[in-house]
Amino acid sequence: MSKTPDSGKAEDDQPSTVEQYLVKDPERFALNMARMIEQAGKAASAWAEPREKGDVRDHVAEPVVDMVKTFSKLSEYWLSDPQRALEAQTRLFSGYMTVWANAIQRISAEGQDGDDAVKPERGDKRFQDPEWGRNAFFDFLKQAYLVTSRWAAELVDHADGLDEHTRHKASFYVKQVSNAISPSNFILTNPELFRETIASNGENLVRGMKMLAEDIAAGKGDLKLRQADYSPFEIGKNLATTPGKVVGRSDVAEILQYDPVTETVLKRPLLICPPWINKFYILDLNPQKSFIRWAVEQGHTVFVISWINPDERHGTKSWEAYIREGLQYGLDTVEKATGEKQVNAIGYCVGGTLLAAALALMAQEGDDRIKSATFFTTQVDFTYAGDLKVFVDEEQVAAVEKSMNEKGYLDGTKMATAFNMLRSGDLIWPYVVNNYMRGKDPLPFDLLYWNADSTRMGAANHSFYLRNCYLENNLSQGMMELAGRMLSLGDITIPVYNLASKEDHIAPALSVFLGSKYFGGEVEYVMAGSGHIAGVVNPPAAQKYHYWTGGKPVGDFDQWVAKATDHPGSWWPHWQRWVEDRDNTRVPARKPGKHMKTLGDAPGTYVRVRV
């Protein structure tokens, strides 16, 4: 019989037995089923009660409608040509026949190896249990699922008549459905879940339903999927612990200045503009991973913008407000704290997009305080903007705007769900199985605590972002209007360090590369290994991943990558050298509060507001 990737283990050689799937204590099992139903009732009540009170309105229909429309267009393409439809059906039928033949062979010739019709992709952790290959029933389920899901994906790939946006949406939705219907997600079709349920007489399901009820209650009627044990973590205690002070506070941002640890520092202070879609402390997660702490150790006087977690009071705060009351207010605060007008700036993700727009605006207004700009996984051109673009077309943006206008903001859980869906096979279904079916608490993990610490989106701010960037791509085309001015990225002539991540699903490396050509000055394009977070938060001491440097970011992206120089480890020291090559003048270290009153200790108050 065929083996799974883990077939080298001793227990894999043990024969599959029916006994492990038979209930040993029917009375206890029945009692636990009753307890599970009781907990399921509590989960249903937690879901229904806020809806009955009118506190929660369901918007599930909107994405489902879009998915149905997308699949309808896909079906129309295949069914419009009988020959094409027959060929598609034949491919699926052929795959099923191969699976069926293999299953018959295993049943009739016990112990004889057979080739799988299709194998899981490398790194797929769903089918590692030996029974997926050893037991004919579960092996049949696995192969039938893989054949079906890959056939569906190929339908999208080969639908030449679809426009690119519809094809992108169809591919995304097919992946979501495929991940959802995997046999690994259900008790009776997952051998490991089946055995655990039988071995514990269903107690795992009781615990799981209890956790489900708790998570729906925590989400105030919506499921707030727990991805880690959050209890060990506390902001300011074991997260965001780099010492510093709050040196400024506006309606949209607190400005943090960190304590120096070197006798001298670079003359130019460093102002970091993080995304407001997540909280800034991804750059200060713990002392070992903290980019902020590392930058302080290299001699930077580090200032960070900590964005407000908006509520109804901030519904009309626009991008201009975030520039004036965030970025430029930060520059004003840096000048008051240090006396310096020349600043190095970093923007991360949408914080980088805001920084780019601000630089274009400031160039027209004669504000030249920022002398170099670094962008972490930042898009300024959204032609190839990754899977988030699936959620952006006129109908969907209008629906989001309608939802936001009711409260003045978009609920943080909505954004968190969207980001989790980008990697649902890693960030949703493994936790659904572990939490609600196995009944096991997830392990503590600081990164997933940060991921779950979601933020709301102010209505005016988020609407401007969706329309001007994802929907209309105005920034790179010179058509974004701010403060009565049409912005041009070509006006940004200061040196730019443009960091992409090779496996980024939010700001794809290709998208960042193509955006480089719109800046008006020198651009250093660097591609880090890994993804949107790990590619950025990669301290040198970890000795992980690689980064690539090369010539100017022009021409074909694949050719640039092929010719690029591969460097092992972190890009952080490379960036430090780049900054110092522009200006390495040093001055005595600056302590927060020397020239102005401080407003409390870092990480401040805005970052502690939870949703």
Side-chain angles (χ1 to χ4, degrees):
M1 301 178 72
S2 68
K3 303 294 184 181
T4 65
D6 290 338
S7 59
K9 298 177 183 178
E11 62 266 29
D12 292 5
D13 297 328
Q14 298 174 1
S16 178
T17 59
V18 176
E19 285 77 9
Q20 61 187 328
Y21 302 112
L22 299 179
V23 175
K24 307 298 189 301
D25 189 340
E27 185 176 347
R28 186 178 173 189
F29 189 89
L31 177 61
N32 282 329
M33 290 301 98
R35 293 171 59 203
M36 180 199 71
I37 294 172
E38 179 184 359
Q39 293 297 330
K42 293 180 180 179
S45 176
W47 181 87
E49 185 175 349
R51 285 163 175 79
E52 292 171 353
K53 293 180 178 179
D55 296 335
V56 172
R57 288 183 58 187
D58 279 318
H59 300 281
V60 175
E62 293 160 3
V64 171
V65 167
D66 185 70
M67 183 173 68
V68 170
K69 287 181 179 178
T70 302
F71 285 161
S72 296
K73 292 178 181 179
L74 180 65
S75 300
E76 182 181 352
Y77 170 79
W78 285 102
L79 297 177
S80 62
D81 184 336
Q83 180 65 29
R84 192 160 52 203
L86 179 61
E87 290 174 356
Q89 293 170 354
T90 300
R91 285 198 300 271
L92 180 61
F93 183 71
S94 175
Y96 284 156
M97 289 303 295
T98 303
V99 172
W100 181 255
N102 286 351
I104 294 298
Q105 180 183 9
R106 293 189 180 195
I107 293 173
S108 60
E110 184 69 24
Q112 183 175 338
D113 287 344
D115 292 331
D116 288 345
V118 60
K119 296 181 183 295
E121 292 182 4
R122 185 175 181 181
D124 190 339
K125 300 178 181 179
R126 294 175 296 179
F127 305 107
Q128 292 183 334
D129 189 89
E131 287 285 276
W132 287 112
R134 189 168 55 196
N135 184 293
F137 170 72
F138 293 115
D139 182 68
F140 176 82
L141 288 176
K142 175 193 71 178
Q143 292 192 61
Y145 163 73
L146 292 173
V147 165
T148 306
S149 60
R150 291 186 187 177
W151 172 80
E154 289 172 358
L155 286 185
V156 179
D157 293 340
H158 298 154
D160 298 328
L162 294 182
D163 64 89
E164 193 56 39
H165 183 58
T166 301
R167 184 199 299 274
H168 192 176
K169 291 201 294 183
S171 177
F172 180 81
Y173 289 139
V174 163
K175 184 183 296 183
Q176 300 309 311
V177 173
S178 294
N179 286 339
I181 65 172
S182 170
S184 60
N185 296 337
F186 305 98
I187 293 169
L188 296 180
T189 56
N190 182 330
E192 188 175 7
L193 284 177
F194 203 150
R195 290 197 307 271
E196 288 187 19
T197 302
I198 297 302
S200 69
N201 287 300
E203 289 183 5
N204 57 315
L205 301 182
V206 178
R207 296 192 303 267
M209 286 299 102
K210 182 175 183 294
M211 292 173 67
L212 179 63
E214 292 170 352
D215 289 355
I216 293 175
K220 299 177 181 178
D222 290 321
L223 177 62
K224 189 171 184 178
L225 180 66
R226 71 178 89 177
Q227 297 169 319
D229 177 5
Y230 306 135
S231 60
F233 302 109
E234 183 179 341
I235 295 174
K237 183 177 180 181
N238 52 12
L239 298 170
T241 59
T242 301
K245 298 291 184 183
V246 180
V247 293
R249 182 179 292 124
S250 72
D251 283 346
V252 300
E254 288 183 330
I255 310 301
L256 313 178
Q257 180 184 356
Y258 290 91
D259 297 341
V261 296
T262 55
E263 292 185 4
T264 62
V265 294
L266 289 169
K267 188 172 187 294
R268 288 183 185 173
L270 177 64
L271 176 63
I272 300 177
C273 179
W276 55 84
I277 288 175
N278 300 106
K279 295 184 178 178
F280 82 88
Y281 65 89
I282 188 60
L283 296 174
D284 190 26
L285 203 58
N286 62 45
Q288 292 73 40
K289 299 177 183 176
S290 173
F291 176 83
I292 290 172
R293 184 181 293 261
W294 182 86
V296 169
E297 292 170 351
Q298 308 314 303
H300 291 276
T301 305
V302 178
F303 292 80
V304 174
I305 297 171
S306 174
W307 298 108
I308 189 74
N309 202 337
D311 54 35
E312 59 275 0
R313 298 169 299 168
H314 305 92
T316 59
K317 292 288 186 181
S318 63
W319 259 41
E320 184 181 352
Y322 271 62
I323 290 174
R324 305 300 191 198
E325 301 173 38
L327 259 169
Q328 288 186 309
Y329 175 68
L331 292 171
D332 295 340
T333 305
V334 169
E335 187 174 347
K336 289 179 183 178
T338 66
E340 294 293 336
K341 291 187 176 181
Q342 296 191 3
V343 175
N344 297 315
I346 292 175
Y348 192 170
C349 189
V350 65
T353 310
L354 181 78
L355 174 60
L359 286 168
L361 176 62
M362 291 160 62
Q364 292 192 34
E365 294 179 340
D367 186 344
D368 63 351
R369 287 177 288 180
I370 295 177
K371 295 301 181 182
S372 80
T374 297
F375 297 106
F376 293 168
T377 58
T378 292
Q379 297 179 103
V380 295
D381 179 84
F382 288 75
T383 305
Y384 301 101
D387 283 344
L388 277 176
K389 211 168 181 180
V390 166
F391 301 108
V392 184
D393 52 39
E394 182 58 44
E395 290 185 14
Q396 293 186 86
V397 170
V400 169
E401 289 173 334
K402 181 180 178 181
S403 174
M404 290 191 297
N405 289 334
E406 294 174 2
K407 297 180 179 179
Y409 59 85
L410 181 70
D411 285 325
T413 53
K414 301 293 191 299
M415 284 301 302
T417 299
F419 278 106
N420 285 340
M421 284 179 67
L422 298 182
R423 293 174 55 205
S424 61
D426 296 322
L427 295 177
I428 295 180
W429 294 108
Y431 297 100
V432 169
V433 170
N434 181 77
N435 299 358
Y436 310 135
M437 298 184 191
R438 301 182 72 186
K440 293 187 176 181
D441 290 316
L443 299 173
F445 191 10
D446 52 7
L447 179 61
L448 289 177
Y449 176 94
W450 168 83
N451 189 59
D453 192 4
S454 55
T455 56
R456 295 179 285 259
M457 299 293 108
N461 182 9
H462 198 49
S463 176
F464 186 91
Y465 177 50
L466 292 178
R467 287 194 173 276
N468 279 271
C469 295
Y470 279 94
L471 190 59
E472 299 170 3
N473 199 19
N474 286 335
L475 181 57
S476 65
Q477 306 307 310
M479 297 176 63
M480 178 182 282
E481 183 177 349
L482 275 174
R485 298 175 184 268
M486 298 298 287
L487 305 185
S488 171
L489 294 174
D491 292 336
I492 303 173
T493 57
I494 60 174
V496 167
Y497 189 99
N498 208 12
L499 178 78
S501 291
K502 186 178 182 181
E503 300 167 14
D504 198 334
H505 58 286
I506 294 173
L510 169 63
S511 184
V512 177
F513 179 87
L514 294 179
S516 298
K517 69 180 181 181
Y518 294 100
F519 296 110
E522 158 207 343
V523 177
E524 177 83 9
Y525 177 82
V526 177
M527 185 174 70
S530 196
H532 194 70
I533 301 300
V536 174
V537 184
N538 182 27
Q543 298 182 350
K544 293 177 65 176
Y545 311 127
H546 290 241
Y547 68 95
W548 289 263
T549 61
K552 292 182 178 180
V554 294
D556 182 77
F557 173 65
D558 291 330
Q559 290 182 6
W560 185 94
V561 173
K563 296 178 181 178
T565 303
D566 183 350
H567 309 271
S570 172
W571 57 269
W572 292 9
H574 180 267
W575 170 81
Q576 178 68 18
R577 291 191 296 271
W578 182 87
V579 170
E580 292 185 347
D581 285 346
R582 270 89 209 137
D583 190 340
N584 64 357
T585 306
R586 298 256 172 172
V587 297
R590 311 161 175 124
K591 293 184 179 180
K594 184 175 182 180
H595 300 292
M596 59 193 303
K597 182 180 178 181
T598 61
L599 305 175
D601 292 330
T605 58
Y606 283 2
V607 73
R608 300 177 191 273
V609 177
R610 297 182 64 86
V611 299

